[in-house]
Amino acid sequence: MLQIPCPWCGPRDQSEFSYAGEAHIERPADPSQLSDAEWADYLFMRRNTRGRFREQWHHAHGCQQFFNAVRDTVTNRIEATYRPGESTPGGQS
Ligand SMILES: [Zn+2]
Protein backbone atom coordinates (compact mmCIF):
# COMPACT_ATOMS: atom_id res chain seq x y z
CA MET A 1 0.00 0.00 0.00
CA LEU A 2 1.18 3.50 -0.81
CA GLN A 3 2.36 5.62 2.09
CA ILE A 4 1.59 9.33 1.80
CA PRO A 5 3.41 11.81 4.07
CA CYS A 6 0.80 14.33 5.20
CA PRO A 7 2.60 17.65 5.84
CA TRP A 8 0.90 17.86 9.26
CA CYS A 9 0.64 14.21 10.38
CA GLY A 10 3.54 12.44 8.72
CA PRO A 11 3.39 9.17 6.75
CA ARG A 12 0.03 7.42 6.72
CA ASP A 13 -1.58 4.68 4.65
CA GLN A 14 -3.16 5.74 1.37
CA SER A 15 -6.54 4.55 2.65
CA GLU A 16 -6.71 7.66 4.87
CA PHE A 17 -6.58 10.02 1.88
CA SER A 18 -8.76 11.14 -0.99
CA TYR A 19 -7.34 12.23 -4.31
CA ALA A 20 -8.43 15.77 -5.17
CA GLY A 21 -7.14 16.30 -8.70
CA GLU A 22 -4.53 18.45 -10.34
CA ALA A 23 -2.90 21.07 -8.12
CA HIS A 24 -2.23 24.74 -8.81
CA ILE A 25 -5.34 25.40 -10.90
CA GLU A 26 -5.78 29.17 -10.72
CA ARG A 27 -9.29 30.57 -10.70
CA PRO A 28 -9.71 33.26 -13.38
CA ALA A 29 -9.65 36.77 -11.90
CA ASP A 30 -12.86 37.79 -13.68
CA PRO A 31 -14.94 34.80 -14.81
CA SER A 32 -17.55 37.11 -16.39
CA GLN A 33 -15.01 38.04 -19.05
CA LEU A 34 -14.50 34.44 -20.18
CA SER A 35 -16.25 32.71 -23.04
CA ASP A 36 -18.25 29.59 -22.26
CA ALA A 37 -15.43 27.51 -23.76
CA GLU A 38 -12.80 29.22 -21.58
CA TRP A 39 -14.95 28.75 -18.45
CA ALA A 40 -15.55 25.10 -19.30
CA ASP A 41 -11.81 24.66 -19.82
CA TYR A 42 -11.15 26.05 -16.32
CA LEU A 43 -13.84 23.88 -14.72
CA PHE A 44 -13.35 20.56 -16.47
CA MET A 45 -10.11 20.23 -18.40
CA ARG A 46 -7.12 18.80 -16.55
CA ARG A 47 -3.79 17.53 -17.71
CA ASN A 48 -3.15 13.81 -17.80
CA THR A 49 0.58 13.89 -17.34
CA ARG A 50 2.77 10.83 -17.69
CA GLY A 51 5.53 11.19 -15.10
CA ARG A 52 6.09 13.96 -12.57
CA PHE A 53 2.73 15.56 -11.72
CA ARG A 54 1.56 18.07 -9.12
CA GLU A 55 -1.72 17.04 -7.49
CA GLN A 56 -3.92 17.68 -4.47
CA TRP A 57 -4.75 15.22 -1.74
CA HIS A 58 -7.13 15.43 1.21
CA HIS A 59 -6.34 13.73 4.52
CA ALA A 60 -9.98 12.74 4.87
CA HIS A 61 -9.51 10.24 7.72
CA GLY A 62 -6.94 12.32 9.56
CA CYS A 63 -6.44 16.03 10.01
CA GLN A 64 -8.91 16.99 7.22
CA GLN A 65 -6.30 19.21 5.56
CA PHE A 66 -5.80 19.55 1.81
CA PHE A 67 -2.21 19.57 0.62
CA ASN A 68 -0.17 19.22 -2.55
CA ALA A 69 1.99 16.34 -3.66
CA VAL A 70 4.44 15.71 -6.46
CA ARG A 71 3.85 12.16 -7.68
CA ASP A 72 5.32 10.24 -10.58
CA THR A 73 2.28 8.79 -12.32
CA VAL A 74 4.36 6.01 -13.88
CA THR A 75 6.09 4.68 -10.77
CA ASN A 76 3.52 5.97 -8.22
CA ARG A 77 6.45 7.33 -6.18
CA ILE A 78 5.61 10.44 -4.17
CA GLU A 79 8.54 12.83 -4.50
CA ALA A 80 7.29 15.42 -2.02
CA THR A 81 4.26 16.77 -0.21
CA TYR A 82 3.80 20.37 0.81
CA ARG A 83 1.25 22.73 2.28
CA PRO A 84 -0.96 25.00 0.17
CA GLY A 85 0.79 28.29 -0.52
CA GLU A 86 4.24 26.73 -0.40
CA SER A 87 6.28 26.48 -3.58
CA THR A 88 6.69 23.14 -5.27
CA PRO A 89 9.81 21.29 -4.06
CA GLY A 90 12.03 20.69 -7.07
CA GLY A 91 10.15 23.26 -9.16
CA GLN A 92 7.08 23.05 -11.33
CA SER A 93 6.25 20.16 -13.59
ZN1 LIG B 1 -2.94 14.98 8.10
Side-chain angles (χ1 to χ4, degrees):
M1 177 173 289
L2 188 64
Q3 289 268 312
I4 299 175
C6 172
W8 288 273
C9 306
R12 297 288 193 274
D13 287 341
Q14 179 184 353
S15 61
E16 295 188 13
F17 297 87
S18 297
Y19 180 71
E22 183 177 357
H24 300 280
I25 303 295
E26 290 189 30
R27 183 181 174 85
D30 188 357
S32 67
Q33 297 301 308
L34 300 181
S35 69
D36 287 347
E38 290 169 329
W39 182 241
D41 183 64
Y42 162 70
L43 290 178
F44 302 116
M45 299 306 291
R46 297 295 180 260
R47 293 189 297 161
N48 188 17
T49 299
R50 184 177 193 274
R52 191 174 187 269
F53 190 53
R54 297 186 303 169
E55 51 197 23
Q56 295 180 90
W57 286 83
H58 178 224
H59 196 179
H61 299 287
C63 65
Q64 296 291 318
Q65 297 282 346
F66 282 87
F67 59 94
N68 297 323
V70 179
R71 182 174 64 93
D72 188 309
T73 60
V74 176
T75 65
N76 216 21
R77 178 182 169 275
I78 293 180
E79 178 183 311
T81 57
Y82 53 104
R83 298 178 184 198
E86 294 180 345
S87 58
T88 306
Q92 297 182 4
S93 52

